[in-house]
Amino acid sequence: MSEAEPVPDSAPEAAAAAILDALNATDSNGTEVLNVTAKFVATPEGTALAYGSLVFMALLPIFFGALRSVTCSKSKNSADMPETITSRDAARFPIIASCTLFGLYLFFKVFSQEYINLLLSVYFFGLGVLALSHTMSPLMSRIFPASFPNKQFQLLFTQGSGESKEEIVNYEFDTKNLVCLLISSVVGVWYLLKKHWIANNLFGLAFALNGVELLHLNNVSTGCILLGGLFVYDVFWVFGTNVMVTVAKSFEAPIKLVFPQDLLEKGLGASNFAMLGLGDIVIPGIFIALLLRFDVSLKKNSRTYFYSSFLAYIFGLGLTIFVMHTFKHAQPALLYLVPACVGFPVVVALCKGELTEMFRYEETPPEEEGAKQDSSESEKKDQ
């Protein structure tokens, strides 16, 4: 989150999926973003509007992404299957993020910023179109009338032949999905040509929602390892060096949400942005989504842990903004978000006597669950 700084719509990860790159690059941006450059003095109304809008936008992908993650965990479509993060992945995550962040820092120091950002723009154009299309798809399915001629398509890639044939990609889509792709491409061209902050936010929200929906922690312990590691990562790179600040200012990509503080004065052409990095949304968001799936597994028609962690996120983000304005200095957002998002649900579990049950909860990846079902069915046939 940044105050009173004119920035272009412009941080680290290089893990399994391409979207991980975007989201973790965000973390660096989102973390350091609490930097103040007094070139523009925002009015109290403009500041309140900007930060209120950022908080509201941050809550949208967490809430709806968590709800969609419940359905996603049961999907058999390869395009909707979640990427499961294990404890080993979580432990390596901060190290990979640090290496990626420092690598970007060196790239911006050695090579021309203009050419790097040109490549990044094209890269995130493709990612953004796919992410926004995937986000819009359920909404479009409800909007289109039943009479709409909706044809089904399947993209299937296999390896080998006969009994040794292995399915690599099995993506099912329809005409409605193609319409979503067309609309998303229009937004992508708008972003590519104008770098407008609204187009940036549409892509940013899509990245964040897809991240919360598709990145699944396998248990609460893994979530604590991930958030704890990124807590240290955040504090070190914000307070210990200027690396994160340099990368965030140089990095032009829709990996943060922005909102102009001079919107009331200049309208949609405003250019002095407050911003919140996607990492500060997605990282706590995937933990909150895990707690929602834990609530569902309890089968008590209650969402206690989801709502407690969701309210904790609001509290932590509000505290981040408060401290930033009080001390007028960059603040690592995860410094406040991690203790809140982990601490609140743990206290609730202690009060309800469900702490052990919460930490014993384990999610099985869809592909493993399918394999177990196939093996059990084959055993029944043999019997």
Side-chain angles (χ1 to χ4, degrees), residues 153-169:
F153 304 94
Q154 183 179 26
L155 186 63
L156 181 63
F157 285 98
T158 59
Q159 179 178 302
S161 60
E163 294 182 358
S164 63
K165 183 182 289 186
E166 182 182 356
E167 189 177 284
I168 305 299
V169 175

Side-chain angles (χ1 to χ4, degrees), residues 9 48 58 73 86 98 139 143 163 226 232 242 273 319 335 337:
D9 287 352
S73 62
T86 65
S98 296
L139 178 63
I143 292 177
E163 294 182 358
L226 177 66
V232 176
N242 70 334
F273 297 102
L319 183 61
L335 176 64
L337 292 172

Side-chain angles (χ1 to χ4, degrees), residues 199-249:
N200 173 89
N201 286 348
L202 289 174
F203 274 174
L205 287 169
F207 283 139
L209 191 145
N210 278 275
V212 175
E213 177 188 358
L214 299 174
L215 297 176
H216 286 200
L217 298 163
N218 64 349
N219 55 50
V220 173
S221 297
T222 298
C224 292
I225 293 171
L226 177 66
L227 268 66
L230 289 174
F231 174 91
V232 176
Y233 156 87
D234 225 2
V235 173
F236 172 76
W237 288 109
V238 171
F239 288 144
T241 72
N242 70 334
V243 171
M244 195 174 283
V245 176
T246 303
V247 171
K249 288 181 177 179

Side-chain angles (χ1 to χ4, degrees), residues 80-365:
D80 297 326
M81 277 190 179
E83 182 76 23
T84 303
I85 300 174
T86 65
S87 57
R88 184 179 180 184
D89 298 327
R92 293 186 300 182
F93 203 92
I95 299 172
I96 295 172
S98 296
C99 293
T100 307
L101 176 64
F102 191 66
L104 285 170
Y105 174 78
L106 294 178
F107 263 92
F108 282 116
K109 287 292 184 183
V110 174
F111 299 103
S112 170
Q113 179 178 326
E114 179 184 353
Y115 294 115
I116 295 175
N117 281 319
L118 178 62
L119 291 173
L120 290 173
S121 294
V122 175
Y123 175 66
F124 280 102
F125 164 79
L127 283 181
V129 168
L130 295 175
L132 187 58
S133 177
H134 183 265
T135 302
M136 293 169 55
S137 184
L139 178 63
M140 286 298 177
S141 297
R142 297 176 183 177
I143 292 177
F144 281 103
S147 59
F148 182 80
N150 191 37
K151 295 183 178 180
Q152 300 293 322
F153 304 94
Q154 183 179 26
L155 186 63
L156 181 63
F157 285 98
T158 59
Q159 179 178 302
S161 60
E163 294 182 358
S164 63
K165 183 182 289 186
E166 182 182 356
E167 189 177 284
I168 305 299
V169 175
N170 184 6
Y171 182 59
E172 297 177 0
F173 59 99
D174 52 30
T175 308
K176 295 175 183 177
N177 297 133
L178 294 177
V179 173
C180 292
L181 190 65
L182 178 62
I183 296 172
S184 302
S185 299
V186 172
V187 176
V189 172
W190 180 26
Y191 171 76
L192 206 59
L193 296 178
K194 299 294 184 181
K195 294 290 194 298
H196 197 277
W197 61 273
I198 294 179
N200 173 89
N201 286 348
L202 289 174
F203 274 174
L205 287 169
F207 283 139
L209 191 145
N210 278 275
V212 175
E213 177 188 358
L214 299 174
L215 297 176
H216 286 200
L217 298 163
N218 64 349
N219 55 50
V220 173
S221 297
T222 298
C224 292
I225 293 171
L226 177 66
L227 268 66
L230 289 174
F231 174 91
V232 176
Y233 156 87
D234 225 2
V235 173
F236 172 76
W237 288 109
V238 171
F239 288 144
T241 72
N242 70 334
V243 171
M244 195 174 283
V245 176
T246 303
V247 171
K249 288 181 177 179
S250 306
F251 201 91
E252 292 183 22
I255 43 77
K256 60 178 171 287
L257 302 179
V258 299
F259 199 91
Q261 299 185 83
D262 53 347
L263 179 68
L264 299 176
E265 292 84 5
K266 298 182 180 180
L268 296 180
S271 59
N272 293 281
F273 297 102
M275 47 187 180
L276 176 66
L278 299 191
D280 295 329
I281 301 172
V282 175
I283 299 303
I286 60 177
F287 186 75
I288 295 171
L290 171 67
L291 293 179
L292 174 60
R293 298 192 297 276
F294 171 62
D295 277 324
V296 172
S297 73
L298 294 176
K299 299 178 181 178
K300 295 182 178 179
N301 294 323
S302 171
R303 301 292 182 264
T304 305
Y305 296 104
F306 171 65
Y307 288 124
S308 63
S309 57
F310 191 73
L311 291 173
Y313 180 83
I314 297 174
F315 170 78
L317 193 57
L319 183 61
T320 305
I321 296 172
F322 173 76
V323 173
M324 181 193 69
H325 280 286
T326 301
F327 294 98
K328 303 297 181 184
H329 190 274
Q331 298 295 319
L334 293 182
L335 176 64
Y336 308 97
L337 292 172
V338 170
C341 292
V342 174
F344 277 45
V346 167
V347 171
V348 171
L350 280 171
C351 294
K352 297 184 68 176
E354 295 177 342
L355 185 63
T356 303
E357 190 174 358
M358 184 171 78
F359 276 89
R360 282 180 178 173
Y361 172 69
E362 185 88 21
E363 286 194 350
T364 304

Side-chain angles (χ1 to χ4, degrees), residues 60-70 208-210 212-214 289:
L60 290 177
I62 292 178
F63 187 84
F64 291 106
L67 293 178
R68 288 173 59 159
S69 76
V70 176
L209 191 145
N210 278 275
V212 175
E213 177 188 358
L214 299 174

